[in-house]
């Protein structure tokens, strides 16, 4: 069986470190591994509209930001199809049919949707489109017969929903769709990177992000004002690691090489943590180290972005070409789905003959 990747991001803002460690970095590695037959990376603008219907310009303006972030991190249009969801109308059509295979009760149980509804303060005024976005995600995944979906942990309930739809569809209409697997980062810190304020998830909507395109001084300022251990007041005080965001970020980004380069007094993160817990290590020293580690990771991304920003029409053209390829793939799957559901009336000569026969026999 072919190995196919589908994943994507909502164009609700520039991409941040959470996206990077949760999914983007992995995508680039998978892309360059040469192990995948096809790779589709989607800008989920239609999904973003489900909770931004009154602000289409925000979505429109952020499409280019997401594309620039992708390309500067190393997604390569020669290897990955980068496309825009709303322009592949087959995806919407698939959703309409999948909706019949999912109950309202099942959607209500989705923990990610539940917490997102709370976060957006929808209360009872939930847009139907938002409520059903797990179904639309199942369409995105299955339209490309994706086997692998590299995502952060918050997306696991969506993958489960997609798998259920596949199983249900195949059992009702015959083997047609492929069941996808989620690929979450092995490092659990990376599968849900907290915000700089210590909140559970770095998220565009919460305004607690370090963006991949932030200038050097902005990254430094954000790192220096990060949430640490509120009880660690004097340098000599023993400090706590758990829930200390600076250490969580080091768990995600620091390697032994980082210590050799920027903080050679310590061999690795365990030694640094041990000193902090014992007391005698100030927050500023740890923050300065984290800043160096992040700047090293972000500098080449920032530099590539500056180059790409010089030719914006070329970036739109990459998305356009990727969308053409994606549309062809999705149309093929949609045709198979409609044939399986027996709603391919004009393509089915047998049907027309049989209906005639029925009348001939009367
Ligand atoms: P929004 O607030 O608009 O939902 P977001 O910041 O949650 O934006 P998405 O576009 O919803 O970003 O997520 C894109 C991908 O990035 C998903 O695979 C998601 O799991 C992953 N991701 C987002 N935030 C984080 C995070 N803090 N840690 C790890 N992965 C993340
Ligand atoms: Mg999100």
């Amino acid at each position: 069986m072919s190995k196919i990747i589908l994943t994507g991001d909502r164009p609700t803002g520039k991409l941040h470190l959470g996206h990077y460690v949760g999914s983007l970095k992995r995508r680039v590695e998978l892309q360059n591994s040469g192990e995948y037959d096809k790779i589709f990376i989607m800008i989920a603008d239609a999904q973003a509209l489900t909770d931004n219907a009154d602000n289409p310009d925000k979505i429109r303006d952020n499409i280019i930001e997401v594309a620039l972030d992708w390309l500067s991190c190393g997604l390569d249009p020669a290897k990955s199809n980068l496309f825009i969801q709303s322009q592949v109308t087959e995806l919407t059509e698939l959703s309409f049919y999948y909706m019949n295979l999912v109950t309202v009760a099942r959607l209500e149980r989705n923990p990610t949707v539940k917490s997102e509804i709370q976060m957006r303060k929808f209360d009872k005024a939930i847009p139907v489109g938002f409520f059903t976005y797990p179904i639309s995600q199942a369409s995105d995944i299955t339209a490309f017969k994706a086997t692998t979906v590299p995502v952060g942990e918050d997306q696991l309930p969506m993958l489960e929903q997609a798998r259920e739809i596949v199983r249900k569809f195949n059992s009702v209409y015959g083997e047609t769709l492929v069941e996808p697997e989620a690929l979450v980062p092995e490092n659990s810190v990376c599968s849900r990177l907290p915000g700089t304020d210590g909140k559970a998830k770095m998220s565009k909507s919460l305004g607690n992000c370090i963006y991949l395109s932030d200038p050097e001084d902005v990254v430094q300022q954000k790192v220096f004002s990060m949430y640490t251990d509120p009880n660690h007041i004097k340098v000599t005080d023993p400090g706590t690691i758990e829930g200390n965001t600076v250490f969580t970020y080091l768990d995600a980004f620091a390697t032994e090489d980082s210590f050799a380069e920027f903080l050679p007094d310590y061999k690795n993160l365990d030694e640094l943590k041990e000193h902090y817990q014992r007391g005698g290590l100030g927050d500023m020293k740890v923050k300065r180290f984290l800043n160096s580690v992040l700047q090293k990771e972000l500098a080449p991304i920032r530099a590539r972005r500056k180059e790409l920003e010089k030719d914006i029409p070329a970036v739109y053209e990459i998305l356009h070409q990727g969308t053409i390829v994606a549309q062809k793939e999705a149309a093929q799957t949609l045709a198979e789905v409609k044939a399986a559901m027996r709603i391919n009336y004009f393509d089915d000569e047998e049907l027309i003959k049989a209906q005639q026969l029925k009348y001939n026999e009367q």
Side-chain angles (χ1 to χ4, degrees):
M1 195 171 72
S2 306
K3 289 175 79 177
I4 300 172
I5 290 177
L6 175 284
T7 186
D9 300 305
R10 291 155 43 97
T12 48
K14 295 178 171 184
L15 299 186
H16 53 63
L17 289 180
H19 299 121
Y20 184 67
V21 292
S23 176
L24 189 46
K25 201 173 175 183
R26 189 71 165 284
R27 286 178 211 170
V28 176
E29 285 162 14
L30 296 174
Q31 167 197 273
N32 295 336
S33 73
E35 279 178 26
Y36 287 84
D37 301 289
K38 291 179 199 162
I39 302 175
F40 297 92
I41 317 275
M42 178 181 82
I43 298 190
D45 63 334
Q47 191 198 110
L49 282 166
T50 64
D51 58 329
N52 289 279
D54 54 354
N55 200 357
D57 280 342
K58 171 175 151 193
I59 307 305
R60 184 181 171 84
D61 291 343
N62 277 307
I63 285 180
I64 190 71
E65 301 296 344
V66 171
L68 285 165
D69 284 331
W70 283 354
L71 295 167
S72 40
C73 286
L75 284 180
D76 174 357
K79 297 177 186 159
S80 299
N81 286 295
L82 312 180
F83 74 99
I84 304 182
Q85 184 186 31
S86 65
Q87 306 306 294
V88 180
T89 51
E90 286 78 0
L91 300 174
T92 326
E93 205 175 329
L94 281 175
S95 295
F96 195 68
Y97 298 127
Y98 293 171
M99 279 184 190
N100 304 331
L101 307 176
V102 181
T103 65
V104 172
R106 175 65 183 86
L107 287 175
E108 276 172 348
R109 276 204 307 276
N110 184 312
T112 302
V113 175
K114 258 194 213 164
S115 72
E116 287 181 338
I117 285 172
Q118 264 179 359
M119 202 169 98
R120 287 165 176 76
K121 302 192 168 56
F122 282 145
D123 199 21
K124 286 272 173 237
I126 310 162
V128 174
F130 186 81
F131 184 62
T132 58
Y133 92 74
I135 302 177
S136 125
Q137 253 174 259
S139 306
D140 304 331
I141 295 167
T142 55
F144 301 98
K145 301 207 165 84
T147 50
T148 313
V149 186
V151 283
E153 187 194 60
D154 61 322
Q155 294 300 309
L156 288 177
M158 309 303 158
L159 257 291
E160 204 34 55
Q161 179 73 80
R163 290 161 62 88
E164 275 177 41
I165 290 176
V166 168
R167 289 197 290 267
K168 179 93 183 174
F169 188 99
N170 288 348
S171 79
V172 176
Y173 303 115
E175 209 56 37
T176 313
L177 302 173
V178 177
E179 220 176 296
E181 301 279 350
L183 200 61
V184 290
E186 282 137 27
N187 181 344
S188 63
V189 166
C190 296
S191 62
R192 187 182 287 256
L193 194 73
T196 49
D197 54 358
K199 290 226 177 81
K201 185 176 168 259
M202 180 177 284
S203 170
K204 283 170 268 181
S205 314
L206 295 175
N208 57 8
C209 307
I210 295 179
Y211 292 98
L212 296 173
S213 50
D214 275 343
E216 194 175 335
D217 56 332
V218 174
V219 173
Q220 175 172 319
Q221 178 256 317
K222 287 181 179 174
V223 171
F224 286 4
S225 50
M226 258 166 94
Y227 181 84
T228 56
D229 169 6
N231 300 319
H232 186 241
I233 298 159
K234 291 200 295 291
V235 173
T236 46
D237 289 341
T240 307
I241 303 294
E242 293 74 40
N244 185 325
T245 321
V246 178
F247 279 96
T248 312
Y249 281 36
L250 287 175
D251 274 325
F253 290 96
T255 61
E256 289 201 1
D257 287 348
S258 325
F259 281 92
E261 189 171 353
F262 301 117
L263 204 60
D265 290 350
Y266 304 84
K267 210 165 135 278
N268 54 37
L269 193 51
D270 288 340
E271 280 187 13
L272 189 75
K273 284 180 178 172
E274 205 265 317
H275 190 182
Y276 191 80
Q277 283 166 317
R278 204 169 61 226
L281 174 59
D283 279 353
M284 245 355 253
K285 186 165 178 177
V286 189
K287 286 182 171 175
R288 255 186 246 113
F289 173 55
L290 174 62
N291 181 54
S292 306
V293 173
L294 290 182
Q295 299 289 1
K296 181 159 183 180
E297 189 96 22
L298 293 176
I301 297 174
R302 217 181 273 132
R304 275 198 295 272
R305 202 183 210 274
K306 281 271 158 298
E307 281 308 301
L308 291 156
E309 285 168 358
K310 291 179 188 157
D311 194 355
I312 294 297
V315 179
Y316 275 103
E317 188 50 26
I318 288 170
L319 294 176
H320 191 181
Q321 292 309 320
T323 302
I324 292 171
V325 176
Q327 193 272 329
K328 279 205 192 105
E329 287 282 325
Q332 171 64 36
T333 305
L334 180 64
E336 290 166 25
V337 160
K338 289 172 97 168
M341 292 176 72
R342 302 172 62 73
I343 52 174
N344 57 340
Y345 317 113
F346 303 132
D347 300 333
D348 189 351
E349 279 177 31
E350 289 306 311
L351 163 80
I352 299 166
K353 265 193 231 155
Q355 295 298 336
Q356 179 64 68
L357 220 58
K358 199 169 80 189
Y359 281 97
N360 291 350
E361 282 163 5
Q362 275 172 7

